[in-house]
Amino acid sequence: AKLDGRGTFRFFEPAMDARMQARRRLELDMRQALARREFQLHYQPQLNLADERLVGCEALIRWRHPERGLVSPLDFIPLAEEIGLIVPIGEWVIRQACRDAASWPRPLSVAVNVSPAQFKSDRLVETIVSALSHAGLPASRLEIEITEGVLLQDNEKTLHTLHRLRALGVRVSMDDFGTGYSSLSYLRAFPFDKIKIDRSFVSDMEDKADGEAIIRAIAGLGRSLGMTTVAEGVETAEQLRRIRAEGCTDVQGYLISKPLPPDDLLRLLAAGSPF
Ligand code: C2E
Ligand code: CA
Ligand code: CA
Ligand code: CA
């Protein structure tokens, strides 16, 4: 037990104390990471199945921590979200992704993940307008990916923001489709351009008949609604074969390519690539 500033005793489990210290440390490091240029974007290609050409890339953030090495976004995005740091980090992501995409030798689209707190921040539309214009990137080449978490809160305002983005020409994808509770009602509430079928359905496909039936149903839904359907996390040729048979329009996954540093992506896009 220790005496805190207000003169009351507080009891900590030693393990919890250690966890909180680690978290505090990560938070302090993260506050410096932008200024120290420790973030990077990697790009994972998305392939259209009809013509076997790349149509776009998803930007995925990486944190090269001076002591810890590469930190996964799964280990810092949730904390960044909690403490509001996601807003400046997310702005950096949007600006960098637009700059990078403007330098690609082909007009592929670039997809950026926007998390709920960033979406709520009021600055999102202004940031996107400014990033596009600074980079000289047409709005039609930018896509934002949102999850159900964005749609859960303040629906009016969210829809207004989505419509403003749409009016600019920015496309909107529903990420991790099928993992939440109300994926279907969100499809009705907003006309997404693209549905990204969660990786869990793809990995279920080979051992559970249900996985394949679900993918078939989502692909059909996408077709009727005029939306692109992307299967995420495609790792094997067998998964690709089935996804194609079920009628998804696009795929993304290690089978096509892992997320690549910008230079490696440029090499892939250079003449002579299989895509
Ligand atoms: P997500 O948006 O669902 O991104 C897809 C994740 O699946 C990425 O993990 C990607 O590397 C991984 N992946 C792609 N293909 C395969 C595959 O074939 N097999 C397997 N096992 N994994 C595959 P990553 O890069 O670790 O990102 C994790 C999550 O962190 C993302 O999930 C997204 O929610 C979040 N995230 C990443 N970058 C950003 C960002 O810039 N902003 C925000 N707000 N969130 C981000
Ligand atoms: Ca995503
Ligand atoms: Ca996803
Ligand atoms: Ca995810």
Side-chain angles (χ1 to χ4, degrees), residues 41-43 46 57-61 89-99 101 104 109-115 118-119 124 127-128 131-132 137 141-147 165 170-173 175 194 196:
L41 292 182
H42 285 192
Y43 292 95
Q46 301 174 334
C57 293
E58 178 176 3
L60 294 157
I61 196 168
I89 293 174
E91 287 192 13
W92 175 83
V93 170
I94 291 169
R95 291 182 185 284
Q96 189 63 42
C98 289
R99 272 198 297 269
W104 296 342
S109 62
V110 65
V112 168
N113 292 284
V114 175
S115 63
Q118 190 186 358
F119 204 90
L124 182 67
T127 300
I128 286 177
L132 289 169
L137 191 75
R141 287 184 56 197
L142 179 66
E143 213 170 273
I144 64 158
E145 297 192 0
I146 58 173
T147 56
L165 290 173
V170 173
R171 279 170 301 152
V172 184
S173 302
D175 204 356
K194 191 185 263 191
K196 300 193 76 179

Side-chain angles (χ1 to χ4, degrees), residues 124-189:
L124 182 67
V125 178
E126 283 66 28
T127 300
I128 286 177
V129 169
S130 146
L132 289 169
S133 103
H134 276 98
L137 191 75
S140 59
R141 287 184 56 197
L142 179 66
E143 213 170 273
I144 64 158
E145 297 192 0
I146 58 173
T147 56
E148 277 193 27
V150 166
L151 297 154
L152 282 176
Q153 329 137 328
D154 201 352
N155 243 292
E156 291 271 301
K157 191 170 164 222
T158 301
L159 286 178
H160 180 66
T161 304
L162 287 173
H163 284 291
R164 281 177 72 196
L165 290 173
R166 167 65 60 76
L168 288 173
V170 173
R171 279 170 301 152
V172 184
S173 302
M174 183 153 187
D175 204 356
D176 301 345
F177 186 82
T179 55
Y181 292 105
S182 356
S183 302
L184 284 178
S185 43
Y186 293 129
L187 280 190
R188 192 175 51 184

Side-chain angles (χ1 to χ4, degrees), residues 70-265:
L70 216 55
V71 186
S72 159
L74 297 173
D75 295 329
F76 69 90
I77 292 288
L79 178 60
E81 171 103 348
E82 215 175 294
I83 61 180
L85 256 187
I86 194 66
V87 176
I89 293 174
E91 287 192 13
W92 175 83
V93 170
I94 291 169
R95 291 182 185 284
Q96 189 63 42
C98 289
R99 272 198 297 269
D100 284 343
S103 77
W104 296 342
R106 282 194 252 155
L108 305 185
S109 62
V110 65
V112 168
N113 292 284
V114 175
S115 63
Q118 190 186 358
F119 204 90
K120 272 196 313 194
S121 80
D122 289 325
R123 273 153 59 177
L124 182 67
V125 178
E126 283 66 28
T127 300
I128 286 177
V129 169
S130 146
L132 289 169
S133 103
H134 276 98
L137 191 75
S140 59
R141 287 184 56 197
L142 179 66
E143 213 170 273
I144 64 158
E145 297 192 0
I146 58 173
T147 56
E148 277 193 27
V150 166
L151 297 154
L152 282 176
Q153 329 137 328
D154 201 352
N155 243 292
E156 291 271 301
K157 191 170 164 222
T158 301
L159 286 178
H160 180 66
T161 304
L162 287 173
H163 284 291
R164 281 177 72 196
L165 290 173
R166 167 65 60 76
L168 288 173
V170 173
R171 279 170 301 152
V172 184
S173 302
M174 183 153 187
D175 204 356
D176 301 345
F177 186 82
T179 55
Y181 292 105
S182 356
S183 302
L184 284 178
S185 43
Y186 293 129
L187 280 190
R188 192 175 51 184
F190 183 77
F192 290 89
D193 298 281
K194 191 185 263 191
I195 299 172
K196 300 193 76 179
I197 305 173
D198 192 66
R199 175 154 59 89
S200 58
F201 296 111
V202 175
S203 50
D204 269 3
M205 210 167 39
E206 268 154 307
D207 26 74
K208 295 191 204 140
D210 292 359
E212 191 160 0
I214 288 172
I215 290 183
R216 183 182 316 143
I218 301 175
L221 189 67
R223 253 194 317 282
S224 354
L225 296 171
M227 299 176 187
T228 304
T229 43
V230 191
E232 291 192 294
V234 177
E235 294 180 349
T236 70
E238 177 58 14
Q239 288 170 346
L240 179 64
R241 192 189 65 72
R242 293 184 193 211
I243 281 159
R244 195 193 290 275
E246 300 310 351
C248 289
T249 60
D250 297 5
V251 289
Q252 182 180 345
Y254 294 170
L255 180 69
I256 313 302
S257 170
K258 292 210 165 184
L260 301 171
D263 289 350
D264 292 358
L265 176 69

Side-chain angles (χ1 to χ4, degrees), residues 43-64:
Y43 292 95
Q44 189 175 36
Q46 301 174 334
L47 187 76
N48 176 258
L49 288 174
D51 60 6
E52 310 241 321
R53 299 275 299 171
L54 299 184
V55 285
C57 293
E58 178 176 3
L60 294 157
I61 196 168
R62 301 289 178 260
W63 180 8
R64 210 167 275 286

